[in-house]
Amino acid sequence: VTTYVGIDRLFPSSPSGPIDDAALVVEGETITWVGTRADAPADDDRVDLGGGLLTAGLVDAHTHPVYAGHRFAEIAARTAGATYSELAAAGGGINATVRSTRAAAAGELRAAVAERLAAWPAGGATTVEVKTGYHLERDGELAAVQTLHELSGTGGVPELRVTFLGAHAVPPERAGDADGYVDEVASWMSAAAAAGAHSCDVFCDEGYFTVEQSRRVVVAGAAAGLRARIHADELARTGGSRLAADVGAASADHLLCIDAGDAQALAAAGVTAVLCPVTALGMGRVPPVGALRAAGATIALGTDHNPGTSGLTDMSAVIGLAVTALGLSVADALVAATAGGARSLGLGDRGTIAPGRRADLVLWDADHEGAFAWALGLPPRRVWRAGHPLL
Ligand code: NIG
Ligand code: FE
């Protein structure tokens, strides 16, 4: 049992609101008491943290970390006017990364992914949603699920929640046969679940999978026990969010092109809206945060780390960008990056600082959450996962 004091401010991500000059008690992996220093129990081991802002461990709700190679030239071309869809049609995009990822030796890819994921705690993330999707054939996709499952919580890697994204794109050798490929992906779902996937995803968008194809993917996933997280209405408004609402998906992600009615449908169906500000900025379009807030939708945030649109691994920067680029308040962005992400992943044991929750905690070099909007990348001083130091 440890009583932590010396906390300038504790942001619990719960309606009870922040506590100044706070204390908390951790027993093993679990938070057992939260309050002011003046009220803290006196009889335990006391550790003075020496000041700072304490939040729940951040949850990155959307990443694509299993890839080899980079596409920097393509990204530069986008800044000079080429569109994401044009570059994909010209042999770039997801399938360019599929070629380099398939070509990587399994051991090298695994080591690169492990090293990559070990960067997340430095941005305050203790739980990270991780997608497959750069193999697009059965064995590679299932091996990616297994690799992620095995890396979870090892060697500085945060806890991972694996999403099977076999339907990220139609692979080059199946060009013109999206329907056939969808049927195949659907047949891999139970093997993906057995290999450690918790969710399935599909890139439901113009040039990728139609709503009808995406529905087949997520229905097959549900039959294998995989909750849906859907890339929806990012490049064009093709109906991905309505599909997410219709099938009761865990999340609908990106949402750059949704309208107010789509936002209401997501909120009414309890689908978490996962927003990825770096990608939104790169695509030159922001999701309608006002409509999502007015509808009462739960919002989560993600780095969307991937080789095509976002190299970020720092969730503290994502909080700052959600404020400056998307227009969330700092408090709402921080709740989205903790409780919102946990909710989207069905993780009721974390995301807030409260008795009974897991001691996933971050001590930040600041005395108020406003610092996130100022720093655009705030360094954590300490990070704990389940009561143990991760950083
Ligand atoms: O979330 N939209 C689909 N997937 C990624 C991009 C993947 C890539 O370009 O490699 C995204 O933005
Ligand atoms: Fe994505």
Side-chain angles (χ1 to χ4, degrees), residues 13 55-60 124-127 334 337-339 342 350-353 358-362 364 383-384:
S13 292
T55 70
L58 304 185
V59 179
D60 187 341
T126 50
T127 302
L334 192 44
T338 50
R350 68 198 79 170
T352 63
I353 302 181
R358 215 170 77 161
D360 285 8
L361 300 163
V362 184
W364 303 93
V383 180
W384 295 263

Short mmCIF file of all heavy atoms in Angstrom, two decimals, residues 13 55-60 124-127 334 337-339 342 350-353 358-362 364 383-384:
data_model
loop_
_atom_site.label_atom_id
_atom_site.label_comp_id
_atom_site.label_asym_id
_atom_site.label_seq_id
_atom_site.Cartn_x
_atom_site.Cartn_y
_atom_site.Cartn_z
N SER A 13 -10.65 12.60 -14.74
CA SER A 13 -11.47 12.25 -15.91
C SER A 13 -12.85 11.76 -15.51
O SER A 13 -13.45 10.94 -16.22
CB SER A 13 -10.78 11.18 -16.78
OG SER A 13 -9.63 11.71 -17.39
N THR A 55 -2.75 12.38 -14.08
CA THR A 55 -3.93 11.96 -14.86
C THR A 55 -3.93 10.44 -14.94
O THR A 55 -2.94 9.78 -14.61
CB THR A 55 -3.91 12.50 -16.31
OG1 THR A 55 -2.87 11.83 -17.05
CG2 THR A 55 -3.68 14.00 -16.36
N ALA A 56 -5.03 9.90 -15.42
CA ALA A 56 -5.06 8.48 -15.77
C ALA A 56 -4.10 8.25 -16.94
O ALA A 56 -3.81 9.17 -17.71
CB ALA A 56 -6.48 8.07 -16.15
N GLY A 57 -3.61 7.04 -17.08
CA GLY A 57 -2.80 6.68 -18.24
C GLY A 57 -3.58 6.95 -19.51
O GLY A 57 -4.79 6.69 -19.59
N LEU A 58 -2.91 7.52 -20.51
CA LEU A 58 -3.62 7.86 -21.74
C LEU A 58 -3.88 6.59 -22.56
O LEU A 58 -3.12 5.62 -22.49
CB LEU A 58 -2.82 8.87 -22.57
CG LEU A 58 -2.46 10.17 -21.84
CD1 LEU A 58 -1.77 11.15 -22.80
CD2 LEU A 58 -3.68 10.83 -21.20
N VAL A 59 -4.96 6.62 -23.32
CA VAL A 59 -5.36 5.50 -24.17
C VAL A 59 -5.32 5.98 -25.61
O VAL A 59 -6.06 6.90 -25.98
CB VAL A 59 -6.78 5.01 -23.80
CG1 VAL A 59 -7.19 3.86 -24.71
CG2 VAL A 59 -6.85 4.59 -22.33
N ASP A 60 -4.45 5.41 -26.40
CA ASP A 60 -4.40 5.72 -27.84
C ASP A 60 -5.37 4.76 -28.52
O ASP A 60 -5.14 3.55 -28.55
CB ASP A 60 -2.97 5.53 -28.36
CG ASP A 60 -2.82 6.00 -29.81
OD1 ASP A 60 -3.85 6.13 -30.51
OD2 ASP A 60 -1.66 6.23 -30.23
N GLY A 124 2.84 9.36 -22.66
CA GLY A 124 1.85 9.17 -21.61
C GLY A 124 0.85 8.05 -21.85
O GLY A 124 -0.07 7.86 -21.05
N ALA A 125 1.00 7.29 -22.94
CA ALA A 125 0.02 6.23 -23.22
C ALA A 125 0.40 4.95 -22.48
O ALA A 125 1.54 4.51 -22.53
CB ALA A 125 -0.06 5.95 -24.71
N THR A 126 -0.59 4.37 -21.80
CA THR A 126 -0.39 3.08 -21.12
C THR A 126 -1.19 1.97 -21.78
O THR A 126 -0.93 0.80 -21.52
CB THR A 126 -0.79 3.19 -19.64
OG1 THR A 126 -2.09 3.77 -19.56
CG2 THR A 126 0.20 4.05 -18.86
N THR A 127 -2.15 2.34 -22.61
CA THR A 127 -2.94 1.36 -23.36
C THR A 127 -3.03 1.86 -24.80
O THR A 127 -3.33 3.03 -25.03
CB THR A 127 -4.37 1.22 -22.79
OG1 THR A 127 -4.28 0.83 -21.42
CG2 THR A 127 -5.18 0.18 -23.56
N LEU A 334 -8.82 15.78 -22.72
CA LEU A 334 -8.16 14.88 -21.77
C LEU A 334 -9.09 13.73 -21.36
O LEU A 334 -8.65 12.58 -21.24
CB LEU A 334 -7.69 15.69 -20.56
CG LEU A 334 -6.75 15.07 -19.54
CD1 LEU A 334 -5.61 14.29 -20.18
CD2 LEU A 334 -6.19 16.17 -18.64
N ALA A 337 -9.04 11.34 -24.21
CA ALA A 337 -7.78 10.59 -24.31
C ALA A 337 -7.60 9.59 -23.18
O ALA A 337 -6.61 8.85 -23.17
CB ALA A 337 -6.60 11.56 -24.32
N THR A 338 -8.54 9.55 -22.24
CA THR A 338 -8.46 8.60 -21.12
C THR A 338 -9.74 7.78 -21.08
O THR A 338 -9.79 6.68 -21.65
CB THR A 338 -8.23 9.36 -19.80
OG1 THR A 338 -9.19 10.42 -19.68
CG2 THR A 338 -6.83 9.96 -19.74
N ALA A 339 -10.79 8.35 -20.48
CA ALA A 339 -12.05 7.62 -20.32
C ALA A 339 -12.68 7.26 -21.67
O ALA A 339 -13.23 6.17 -21.83
CB ALA A 339 -13.03 8.45 -19.49
N ALA A 342 -10.78 4.34 -23.23
CA ALA A 342 -11.04 3.11 -22.48
C ALA A 342 -12.43 2.59 -22.82
O ALA A 342 -12.63 1.39 -23.04
CB ALA A 342 -10.92 3.38 -20.98
N ARG A 350 -10.14 1.03 -16.38
CA ARG A 350 -9.17 2.13 -16.47
C ARG A 350 -9.80 3.34 -17.18
O ARG A 350 -10.93 3.31 -17.59
CB ARG A 350 -7.92 1.66 -17.23
CG ARG A 350 -8.15 1.38 -18.70
CD ARG A 350 -7.05 0.54 -19.30
NE ARG A 350 -7.24 -0.86 -18.95
CZ ARG A 350 -6.55 -1.87 -19.46
NH1 ARG A 350 -5.60 -1.65 -20.32
NH2 ARG A 350 -6.82 -3.11 -19.12
N GLY A 351 -9.01 4.41 -17.28
CA GLY A 351 -9.51 5.60 -17.98
C GLY A 351 -9.93 6.70 -17.03
O GLY A 351 -10.13 7.84 -17.46
N THR A 352 -10.13 6.38 -15.75
CA THR A 352 -10.41 7.41 -14.75
C THR A 352 -9.55 7.11 -13.52
O THR A 352 -9.05 5.99 -13.37
CB THR A 352 -11.89 7.43 -14.31
OG1 THR A 352 -12.21 6.18 -13.69
CG2 THR A 352 -12.82 7.64 -15.50
N ILE A 353 -9.36 8.13 -12.68
CA ILE A 353 -8.69 7.90 -11.39
C ILE A 353 -9.77 7.82 -10.33
O ILE A 353 -10.38 8.84 -9.97
CB ILE A 353 -7.69 9.03 -11.06
CG1 ILE A 353 -6.62 9.15 -12.17
CG2 ILE A 353 -7.01 8.75 -9.72
CD1 ILE A 353 -5.59 10.24 -11.91
N ARG A 358 -7.70 0.44 -12.13
CA ARG A 358 -6.30 0.04 -12.20
C ARG A 358 -5.41 1.28 -12.09
O ARG A 358 -5.75 2.33 -12.61
CB ARG A 358 -6.07 -0.65 -13.55
CG ARG A 358 -5.08 -1.78 -13.45
CD ARG A 358 -5.09 -2.55 -14.71
NE ARG A 358 -4.36 -1.82 -15.74
CZ ARG A 358 -3.89 -2.41 -16.83
NH1 ARG A 358 -4.09 -3.68 -17.04
NH2 ARG A 358 -3.23 -1.69 -17.71
N ALA A 359 -4.27 1.11 -11.43
CA ALA A 359 -3.36 2.24 -11.23
C ALA A 359 -2.52 2.46 -12.49
O ALA A 359 -1.31 2.25 -12.51
CB ALA A 359 -2.49 2.02 -10.00
N ASP A 360 -3.18 2.88 -13.58
CA ASP A 360 -2.52 3.36 -14.79
C ASP A 360 -2.50 4.88 -14.65
O ASP A 360 -3.56 5.52 -14.73
CB ASP A 360 -3.32 2.97 -16.04
CG ASP A 360 -3.19 1.51 -16.40
OD1 ASP A 360 -2.60 0.74 -15.62
OD2 ASP A 360 -3.69 1.12 -17.47
N LEU A 361 -1.33 5.44 -14.44
CA LEU A 361 -1.25 6.84 -14.03
C LEU A 361 -0.09 7.54 -14.74
O LEU A 361 0.92 6.90 -15.06
CB LEU A 361 -1.01 6.92 -12.51
CG LEU A 361 -2.09 6.29 -11.62
CD1 LEU A 361 -1.54 6.06 -10.21
CD2 LEU A 361 -3.33 7.17 -11.59
N VAL A 362 -0.24 8.84 -14.95
CA VAL A 362 0.85 9.64 -15.51
C VAL A 362 1.01 10.91 -14.68
O VAL A 362 0.03 11.60 -14.40
CB VAL A 362 0.60 10.04 -16.99
CG1 VAL A 362 1.81 10.78 -17.55
CG2 VAL A 362 0.27 8.82 -17.84
N TRP A 364 2.62 14.49 -14.89
CA TRP A 364 3.09 15.40 -15.93
C TRP A 364 3.84 16.58 -15.33
O TRP A 364 3.55 17.00 -14.22
CB TRP A 364 1.89 15.94 -16.73
CG TRP A 364 1.06 14.89 -17.35
CD1 TRP A 364 -0.05 14.30 -16.81
CD2 TRP A 364 1.25 14.27 -18.63
NE1 TRP A 364 -0.55 13.36 -17.68
CE2 TRP A 364 0.21 13.33 -18.79
CE3 TRP A 364 2.19 14.43 -19.64
CZ2 TRP A 364 0.10 12.54 -19.95
CZ3 TRP A 364 2.07 13.66 -20.80
CH2 TRP A 364 1.03 12.72 -20.94
N VAL A 383 5.37 7.42 -15.34
CA VAL A 383 4.25 6.68 -15.93
C VAL A 383 4.16 5.34 -15.20
O VAL A 383 5.16 4.64 -15.06
CB VAL A 383 4.44 6.43 -17.44
CG1 VAL A 383 3.26 5.65 -18.02
CG2 VAL A 383 4.61 7.75 -18.20
N TRP A 384 2.96 4.99 -14.72
CA TRP A 384 2.74 3.69 -14.08
C TRP A 384 1.68 2.92 -14.88
O TRP A 384 0.68 3.48 -15.29
CB TRP A 384 2.19 3.83 -12.67
CG TRP A 384 3.06 4.50 -11.65
CD1 TRP A 384 3.88 3.89 -10.74
CD2 TRP A 384 3.16 5.91 -11.37
NE1 TRP A 384 4.48 4.82 -9.93
CE2 TRP A 384 4.06 6.07 -10.29
CE3 TRP A 384 2.59 7.06 -11.94
CZ2 TRP A 384 4.39 7.33 -9.75
CZ3 TRP A 384 2.92 8.29 -11.43
CH2 TRP A 384 3.81 8.42 -10.35
#
